Amino acid sequence: MTQTLGIIGSGLVGKAVAHLAVSAGYQVVLSNSRGPESLSDLVQALGPLARAGTVEEAIAAADIVSLAIPLATFETLPANKLAGKVVLDQTNYYPGMGDFRRADLDNGDLTSSELVQQHLEGAKVVKGVHNLGWHHMQYSARPKGHVERTTLPIAGDDTAAKQAVTRFIQAVGYDVVDTGSLADSWRIEPNTPIYFWPYVPDIAQGLTENEAKQAYLRPGQPISPTAAQQLIDKTERPSPIGGTLQGLPPIHVALFLELASADTVQR
């Protein structure tokens, strides 16, 4: 039976996970805050397995709901509609971007996914597919057994939900390691060894800006499940907590700003 991924958010991350899902044979229902009519071009590009809907329609249709939204908007999520659903939390805490900042996150009282779980009481939140850039997320996927297949971490409190998310991630092209509970998910948050940089390719010196951008878009070296677990095991809690633009490759930031600006113009 074909499964359905419901996606809340249609930015760079939402588009990337949608492409992964349809390539793996999943039905996809895309949604955003602007309404289904704003998604017609994206749905057409994704093909017959994709359709647009309201947030509520995406949730209702989904076997797994992907949160491809800024963490700052988590309180807009309809908690009552998501009760009982497996929720793939792709959000990250970046307190330096915008005005979203919380003491409970800064102090380490909660992980960002525990905060999402608190709001989505009754949902089964699993942290995952959050620790690499949108481009590498889409184009680093490889079939099972491929020498370039790499590994992504997950964390969650519900065993069955983690199994469902693991099957999804494996189906779309990645191996998986289980980090533990949502309380343990700080080990895979921004500024940790498994976050972002392991998936980035080496960029040769002396390239022009355009050449460097093209080189950056290639996949990085694959990470085996054993190597991924070793990175996680040696993790110490970052201080301060949360990601920064300075903690990302400058080329990534330039590409992000370039594409985000283009997307804003298109809207």
Side-chain angles (χ1 to χ4, degrees), residues 198-220:
Y199 305 94
V200 173
D202 292 328
I203 307 298
Q205 298 294 319
L207 299 179
T208 66
E209 182 179 357
N210 284 335
E211 288 171 339
K213 285 181 179 179
Q214 290 304 310
Y216 175 76
L217 295 178
R218 296 195 306 266

mmCIF file of all heavy atoms in Angstrom, residues 198-220:
data_model
loop_
_atom_site.group_PDB
_atom_site.id
_atom_site.type_symbol
_atom_site.label_atom_id
_atom_site.label_comp_id
_atom_site.label_asym_id
_atom_site.label_seq_id
_atom_site.Cartn_x
_atom_site.Cartn_y
_atom_site.Cartn_z
ATOM 1 N N PRO A 198 29.435 17.286 8.197
ATOM 2 C CA PRO A 198 29.828 15.997 7.629
ATOM 3 C C PRO A 198 29.265 15.726 6.237
ATOM 4 O O PRO A 198 29.783 14.864 5.522
ATOM 5 C CB PRO A 198 29.275 14.986 8.648
ATOM 6 C CG PRO A 198 29.200 15.731 9.914
ATOM 7 C CD PRO A 198 28.800 17.119 9.518
ATOM 8 N N TYR A 199 28.225 16.452 5.842
ATOM 9 C CA TYR A 199 27.561 16.217 4.563
ATOM 10 C C TYR A 199 28.032 17.192 3.472
ATOM 11 O O TYR A 199 27.527 17.168 2.355
ATOM 12 C CB TYR A 199 26.054 16.324 4.744
ATOM 13 C CG TYR A 199 25.549 15.400 5.828
ATOM 14 C CD1 TYR A 199 25.383 15.860 7.129
ATOM 15 C CD2 TYR A 199 25.296 14.057 5.567
ATOM 16 C CE1 TYR A 199 24.955 15.001 8.150
ATOM 17 C CE2 TYR A 199 24.882 13.198 6.573
ATOM 18 C CZ TYR A 199 24.712 13.679 7.863
ATOM 19 O OH TYR A 199 24.303 12.824 8.862
ATOM 20 N N VAL A 200 29.003 18.043 3.838
ATOM 21 C CA VAL A 200 29.479 19.082 2.932
ATOM 22 C C VAL A 200 30.748 18.611 2.233
ATOM 23 O O VAL A 200 31.656 18.082 2.873
ATOM 24 C CB VAL A 200 29.769 20.375 3.732
ATOM 25 C CG1 VAL A 200 30.432 21.419 2.841
ATOM 26 C CG2 VAL A 200 28.470 20.927 4.324
ATOM 27 N N PRO A 201 30.859 18.790 0.918
ATOM 28 C CA PRO A 201 32.076 18.369 0.215
ATOM 29 C C PRO A 201 33.243 19.321 0.493
ATOM 30 O O PRO A 201 33.047 20.486 0.853
ATOM 31 C CB PRO A 201 31.668 18.435 -1.260
ATOM 32 C CG PRO A 201 30.630 19.514 -1.298
ATOM 33 C CD PRO A 201 29.866 19.386 -0.003
ATOM 34 N N ASP A 202 34.446 18.826 0.315
ATOM 35 C CA ASP A 202 35.628 19.684 0.378
ATOM 36 C C ASP A 202 35.658 20.566 -0.870
ATOM 37 O O ASP A 202 35.398 20.102 -1.978
ATOM 38 C CB ASP A 202 36.901 18.837 0.439
ATOM 39 C CG ASP A 202 37.020 18.071 1.746
ATOM 40 O OD1 ASP A 202 36.536 18.592 2.770
ATOM 41 O OD2 ASP A 202 37.573 16.957 1.727
ATOM 42 N N ILE A 203 35.964 21.835 -0.665
ATOM 43 C CA ILE A 203 36.036 22.786 -1.775
ATOM 44 C C ILE A 203 37.501 23.131 -2.023
ATOM 45 O O ILE A 203 38.202 23.585 -1.111
ATOM 46 C CB ILE A 203 35.248 24.077 -1.467
ATOM 47 C CG1 ILE A 203 33.812 23.751 -1.037
ATOM 48 C CG2 ILE A 203 35.254 25.012 -2.672
ATOM 49 C CD1 ILE A 203 32.993 23.048 -2.071
ATOM 50 N N ALA A 204 37.970 22.900 -3.235
ATOM 51 C CA ALA A 204 39.366 23.183 -3.570
ATOM 52 C C ALA A 204 39.659 24.678 -3.498
ATOM 53 O O ALA A 204 38.773 25.519 -3.719
ATOM 54 C CB ALA A 204 39.675 22.658 -4.972
ATOM 55 N N GLN A 205 40.885 25.005 -3.177
ATOM 56 C CA GLN A 205 41.316 26.399 -3.153
ATOM 57 C C GLN A 205 41.453 26.935 -4.582
ATOM 58 O O GLN A 205 41.695 26.191 -5.534
ATOM 59 C CB GLN A 205 42.658 26.519 -2.428
ATOM 60 C CG GLN A 205 42.618 26.094 -0.973
ATOM 61 C CD GLN A 205 41.757 27.014 -0.132
ATOM 62 O OE1 GLN A 205 41.793 28.239 -0.293
ATOM 63 N NE2 GLN A 205 40.965 26.440 0.768
ATOM 64 N N GLY A 206 41.309 28.245 -4.715
ATOM 65 C CA GLY A 206 41.574 28.895 -5.995
ATOM 66 C C GLY A 206 40.420 28.901 -6.974
ATOM 67 O O GLY A 206 40.599 29.325 -8.120
ATOM 68 N N LEU A 207 39.228 28.432 -6.560
ATOM 69 C CA LEU A 207 38.079 28.426 -7.460
ATOM 70 C C LEU A 207 37.420 29.799 -7.494
ATOM 71 O O LEU A 207 37.487 30.564 -6.524
ATOM 72 C CB LEU A 207 37.051 27.388 -7.006
ATOM 73 C CG LEU A 207 37.494 25.927 -6.959
ATOM 74 C CD1 LEU A 207 36.340 25.056 -6.466
ATOM 75 C CD2 LEU A 207 37.981 25.455 -8.316
ATOM 76 N N THR A 208 36.784 30.121 -8.612
ATOM 77 C CA THR A 208 35.965 31.320 -8.659
ATOM 78 C C THR A 208 34.727 31.115 -7.781
ATOM 79 O O THR A 208 34.433 29.986 -7.361
ATOM 80 C CB THR A 208 35.508 31.635 -10.083
ATOM 81 O OG1 THR A 208 34.614 30.592 -10.518
ATOM 82 C CG2 THR A 208 36.694 31.717 -11.033
ATOM 83 N N GLU A 209 33.999 32.182 -7.523
ATOM 84 C CA GLU A 209 32.797 32.068 -6.698
ATOM 85 C C GLU A 209 31.795 31.096 -7.309
ATOM 86 O O GLU A 209 31.233 30.242 -6.608
ATOM 87 C CB GLU A 209 32.143 33.440 -6.510
ATOM 88 C CG GLU A 209 30.907 33.392 -5.619
ATOM 89 C CD GLU A 209 30.272 34.764 -5.416
ATOM 90 O OE1 GLU A 209 30.827 35.756 -5.929
ATOM 91 O OE2 GLU A 209 29.216 34.835 -4.761
ATOM 92 N N ASN A 210 31.574 31.197 -8.616
ATOM 93 C CA ASN A 210 30.619 30.300 -9.270
ATOM 94 C C ASN A 210 31.115 28.858 -9.260
ATOM 95 O O ASN A 210 30.330 27.921 -9.064
ATOM 96 C CB ASN A 210 30.360 30.754 -10.707
ATOM 97 C CG ASN A 210 29.444 31.967 -10.775
ATOM 98 O OD1 ASN A 210 28.660 32.201 -9.863
ATOM 99 N ND2 ASN A 210 29.551 32.730 -11.851
ATOM 100 N N GLU A 211 32.415 28.662 -9.466
ATOM 101 C CA GLU A 211 32.975 27.315 -9.425
ATOM 102 C C GLU A 211 32.834 26.720 -8.026
ATOM 103 O O GLU A 211 32.530 25.533 -7.869
ATOM 104 C CB GLU A 211 34.446 27.343 -9.841
ATOM 105 C CG GLU A 211 34.653 27.596 -11.327
ATOM 106 C CD GLU A 211 36.120 27.827 -11.662
ATOM 107 O OE1 GLU A 211 36.895 28.179 -10.738
ATOM 108 O OE2 GLU A 211 36.481 27.675 -12.851
ATOM 109 N N ALA A 212 33.073 27.539 -7.001
ATOM 110 C CA ALA A 212 32.955 27.070 -5.624
ATOM 111 C C ALA A 212 31.513 26.692 -5.305
ATOM 112 O O ALA A 212 31.261 25.693 -4.619
ATOM 113 C CB ALA A 212 33.449 28.143 -4.658
ATOM 114 N N LYS A 213 30.559 27.471 -5.803
ATOM 115 C CA LYS A 213 29.146 27.153 -5.583
ATOM 116 C C LYS A 213 28.786 25.823 -6.222
ATOM 117 O O LYS A 213 28.092 25.001 -5.624
ATOM 118 C CB LYS A 213 28.255 28.269 -6.137
ATOM 119 C CG LYS A 213 28.225 29.525 -5.290
ATOM 120 C CD LYS A 213 27.300 30.572 -5.902
ATOM 121 C CE LYS A 213 27.238 31.822 -5.049
ATOM 122 N NZ LYS A 213 26.363 32.865 -5.647
ATOM 123 N N GLN A 214 29.260 25.606 -7.431
ATOM 124 C CA GLN A 214 28.972 24.339 -8.108
ATOM 125 C C GLN A 214 29.629 23.165 -7.383
ATOM 126 O O GLN A 214 29.028 22.097 -7.232
ATOM 127 C CB GLN A 214 29.454 24.402 -9.559
ATOM 128 C CG GLN A 214 28.638 25.338 -10.443
ATOM 129 C CD GLN A 214 27.160 24.995 -10.449
ATOM 130 O OE1 GLN A 214 26.778 23.838 -10.649
ATOM 131 N NE2 GLN A 214 26.317 25.981 -10.213
ATOM 132 N N ALA A 215 30.835 23.374 -6.895
ATOM 133 C CA ALA A 215 31.524 22.313 -6.159
ATOM 134 C C ALA A 215 30.804 22.011 -4.856
ATOM 135 O O ALA A 215 30.708 20.847 -4.438
ATOM 136 C CB ALA A 215 32.970 22.723 -5.887
ATOM 137 N N TYR A 216 30.269 23.042 -4.222
ATOM 138 C CA TYR A 216 29.577 22.856 -2.944
ATOM 139 C C TYR A 216 28.307 22.022 -3.105
ATOM 140 O O TYR A 216 27.897 21.304 -2.183
ATOM 141 C CB TYR A 216 29.223 24.214 -2.337
ATOM 142 C CG TYR A 216 28.409 24.105 -1.070
ATOM 143 C CD1 TYR A 216 29.017 23.731 0.128
ATOM 144 C CD2 TYR A 216 27.038 24.349 -1.071
ATOM 145 C CE1 TYR A 216 28.285 23.612 1.283
ATOM 146 C CE2 TYR A 216 26.298 24.231 0.087
ATOM 147 C CZ TYR A 216 26.922 23.864 1.261
ATOM 148 O OH TYR A 216 26.182 23.723 2.410
ATOM 149 N N LEU A 217 27.679 22.086 -4.252
ATOM 150 C CA LEU A 217 26.423 21.382 -4.464
ATOM 151 C C LEU A 217 26.607 19.878 -4.641
ATOM 152 O O LEU A 217 25.623 19.131 -4.647
ATOM 153 C CB LEU A 217 25.684 21.975 -5.676
ATOM 154 C CG LEU A 217 25.226 23.430 -5.507
ATOM 155 C CD1 LEU A 217 24.556 23.931 -6.782
ATOM 156 C CD2 LEU A 217 24.297 23.584 -4.323
ATOM 157 N N ARG A 218 27.838 19.418 -4.769
ATOM 158 C CA ARG A 218 28.086 17.977 -4.829
ATOM 159 C C ARG A 218 27.925 17.366 -3.435
ATOM 160 O O ARG A 218 28.137 18.038 -2.427
ATOM 161 C CB ARG A 218 29.499 17.690 -5.350
ATOM 162 C CG ARG A 218 29.763 18.142 -6.763
ATOM 163 C CD ARG A 218 31.036 17.491 -7.286
ATOM 164 N NE ARG A 218 32.161 17.731 -6.378
ATOM 165 C CZ ARG A 218 33.036 18.725 -6.507
ATOM 166 N NH1 ARG A 218 32.913 19.584 -7.508
ATOM 167 N NH2 ARG A 218 34.027 18.856 -5.648
ATOM 168 N N PRO A 219 27.582 16.065 -3.348
ATOM 169 C CA PRO A 219 27.510 15.417 -2.041
ATOM 170 C C PRO A 219 28.881 15.357 -1.366
ATOM 171 O O PRO A 219 29.913 15.316 -2.033
ATOM 172 C CB PRO A 219 27.011 14.004 -2.365
ATOM 173 C CG PRO A 219 26.372 14.120 -3.709
ATOM 174 C CD PRO A 219 27.138 15.183 -4.434
ATOM 175 N N GLY A 220 28.868 15.356 -0.036
ATOM 176 C CA GLY A 220 30.092 15.137 0.710
ATOM 177 C C GLY A 220 30.432 13.659 0.767
ATOM 178 O O GLY A 220 29.783 12.821 0.127
#
